[in-house]
Amino acid sequence: MSEPAPPVLEVENLTKRFPIHAGLFSRVVGHVHAVDGISFAIRRGETLGLVGESGCGKSTAGKTILKLIEPTSGSIRLNGRDITRFGSGEMRPVRRQMQIIFQDPYSSLNPRMSAGEIVREPLTIHGISEAAESHERVAMLFERVGLQPHQMKAFPHEFSGGQRQRIGIARALAADPQLIIGDEPVSALDVSIQAQVINLLTELQDDLDLSYLFIAHDLTVVEHISHRIAVMYLGRIVELAGTDDLFDTPLHPYTVALLSAVPIANPKNRSRQRLLLSGDVPSPVTPPSGCHFHTRCPYAMRRCREEQPVLHQVGGDHWVSCHLHDAGPVHPLPSVDPVPGSSGAGVSASRAAGDPAGP
Ligand code: SF4
């Protein structure tokens, strides 16, 4: 049996807090707990999907890993090298190995530069090739992402949304990276174009043995590209598993709720457990104590408000952070009463968990 590929990226207990300043002397009066101790690894040639609602910290996690934002604590290792405290000079050669594709292909491309200049820029920054050679290389990159070399002279406004994202992908590939972080790279595109861009990313991964951290709020998007998926809620990873495993056997109530929002392709197949959430995502300035999800979880117990659950392995490569599964995986979750006026199951699960001290 072949050895598993070594990790390209290892993130351990990564935390990012943003201070909140107020008053005449701009004192620190609190913190936004954007990323709250996340850990995972990505192997060579693997895609890890990072999914969660808006404001859960997934984009901040991506930018912190790239060190576009300095982490508050924790560690980031790239190919076994700890880069957490690297300064800008030390980061320069490392940046070649880690690139990003942004959500909005229009605002992320300089409108005053031609598409060719945009893709060539990383070659110049990293001193990768001379002018004549770089022209050929950029032309090759254009063809590789499904654009025509004659389009190198055109400006971003002359391209469609999907084509602009292809320019963003060509630019990310220019420096020959090992890891690409896609920050909602297809969210701004039409559904038919999303599929084309995802197929392109998959082909590039197969050809170039790339690793991806693919950030999205939509589980159906990450399903098609990810080998494994990490689900984030209010700065923490609450479940991490292989894609099929996560879709077939979701264990965390939040994952079950996210999957409940995914339309089922075959209406006859109604076997998926359904859970509708009530309430809004709490503020990351004052996240709930214990399990951050307890204010919306229909299974919350007294312990959930007092004790933070730990992300632990429950079999194979399936990890979950929930007191319901501390003694082993429970699947499916106990049924709960339907929310009045809704068509699905939801709320008041403290009853299901047999504890009268729910929220
Ligand atoms: Fe969190 Fe408790 Fe619900 Fe598990 S059962 S998700 S620990 S509130």
Side-chain angles (χ1 to χ4, degrees), residues 16 18 33-36 38 50 52-64 215 232-236 284:
K16 180 63 198 177
F18 295 101
H33 300 251
V35 179
D36 194 4
I38 61 170
L50 188 59
E53 288 163 289
S54 293
C56 73
K58 54 192 190 306
S59 289
T60 305
K63 289 184 184 120
T64 310
I215 297 167
M232 250 182 116
Y233 185 80
L234 264 187
R236 294 177 182 164

Side-chain angles (χ1 to χ4, degrees), residues 104-119 121 142 147 151-168 171:
D104 183 349
Y106 195 64
S107 63
S108 63
L109 303 178
N110 186 337
R112 290 190 200 86
M113 290 169 81
S114 71
E117 286 168 340
I118 289 170
V119 176
E121 195 176 38
F142 265 60
L147 296 169
Q151 294 177 295
M152 286 161 60
K153 290 196 180 108
F155 285 81
H157 70 269
E158 298 175 64
F159 292 90
S160 68
Q163 286 176 325
R164 283 197 287 264
Q165 199 53 299
R166 286 174 193 267
I167 298 169
R171 183 188 159 90

Side-chain angles (χ1 to χ4, degrees), residues 66-135:
L66 285 166
K67 284 181 53 77
L68 300 175
I69 302 172
E70 283 302 313
T72 304
S73 61
S75 70
I76 306 157
R77 298 175 77 84
L78 190 72
N79 290 314
R81 231 170 132 205
D82 191 337
I83 61 164
T84 321
R85 299 291 156 215
F86 273 18
S88 55
E90 289 166 299
M91 274 306 291
R92 211 180 153 111
V94 174
R95 291 213 187 282
R96 227 188 119 166
Q97 299 167 46
M98 302 196 288
Q99 294 290 317
I100 186 165
I101 304 169
F102 291 102
Q103 173 179 1
D104 183 349
Y106 195 64
S107 63
S108 63
L109 303 178
N110 186 337
R112 290 190 200 86
M113 290 169 81
S114 71
E117 286 168 340
I118 289 170
V119 176
R120 189 178 300 117
E121 195 176 38
L123 301 177
T124 311
I125 291 171
H126 296 291
I128 295 171
S129 51
E130 299 299 327
E133 197 192 322
S134 73
H135 182 84

